[in-house]
Amino acid sequence: QLQLVESGGSLVQPGGSLRLSCAAPGFTLDYHAVAWFRQAPGKEREGVSCMRSSGGSTHNADSVKGRFTMSRDNAKNTVYLQMNNLKPEDSAVYYCALVLGGTSCLTSPPLSSWGQGTQVTVSS
């Protein structure tokens, strides 16, 4: 199945930083829009950040603007989510998926299958 693989989640103190990775075994990500989602216990899955394509624009949820940044490394066929100044409310399982590349990419349904995600816990 068409599925992305997340990694990089960990336990980090408030104010700390993490970088999550999203790999695509068997196909290239260069021309596809990719989004990061997260789901905390008792809450719905929400869009966090999306990038339309290689060299395209990035869109972030209001809750993470100024703190989270997406990037691509085409040579490694990998998409990253740099998370700075982390807060306890950022704690969640983070997922990445292919999405529609329009202005609604933060709320797009996934075009790839959901993977296992990677756990991010922000706590002192």
Side-chain angles (χ1 to χ4, degrees):
Q1 291 207 352
L2 185 61
Q3 186 178 81
L4 306 184
V5 181
E6 306 92 344
S7 64
S10 184
L11 172 66
V12 63
Q13 293 186 334
S17 298
L18 283 174
R19 189 179 73 165
L20 306 184
S21 298
C22 176
F27 67 98
T28 58
L29 289 171
D30 301 41
Y31 305 105
H32 297 279
V34 180
W36 286 95
F37 302 83
R38 68 185 181 188
Q39 187 168 28
K43 296 184 178 180
E44 297 291 326
R45 199 192 315 261
E46 64 174 339
V48 176
S49 184
C50 59
M51 179 176 286
R52 296 187 64 183
S53 63
S54 181
S57 60
T58 300
H59 305 275
N60 296 314
D62 290 341
S63 59
V64 305
K65 285 182 178 178
R67 300 189 298 119
F68 291 11
T69 304
M70 284 189 69
S71 63
R72 292 177 183 256
D73 187 334
N74 291 332
K76 297 182 178 180
N77 197 35
T78 302
V79 172
Y80 302 98
L81 181 66
Q82 179 67 46
M83 305 185 295
N84 298 325
N85 192 26
L86 284 162
K87 305 175 181 180
E89 52 263 42
D90 295 319
S91 297
V93 178
Y94 284 72
Y95 306 85
C96 63
L98 303 180
V99 295
L100 297 173
T103 57
S104 61
C105 60
L106 281 175
T107 56
S108 169
L111 304 182
S112 55
S113 299
W114 293 117
Q116 292 297 114
T118 185
Q119 177 72 54
V120 173
T121 303
V122 185
S123 176
S124 59

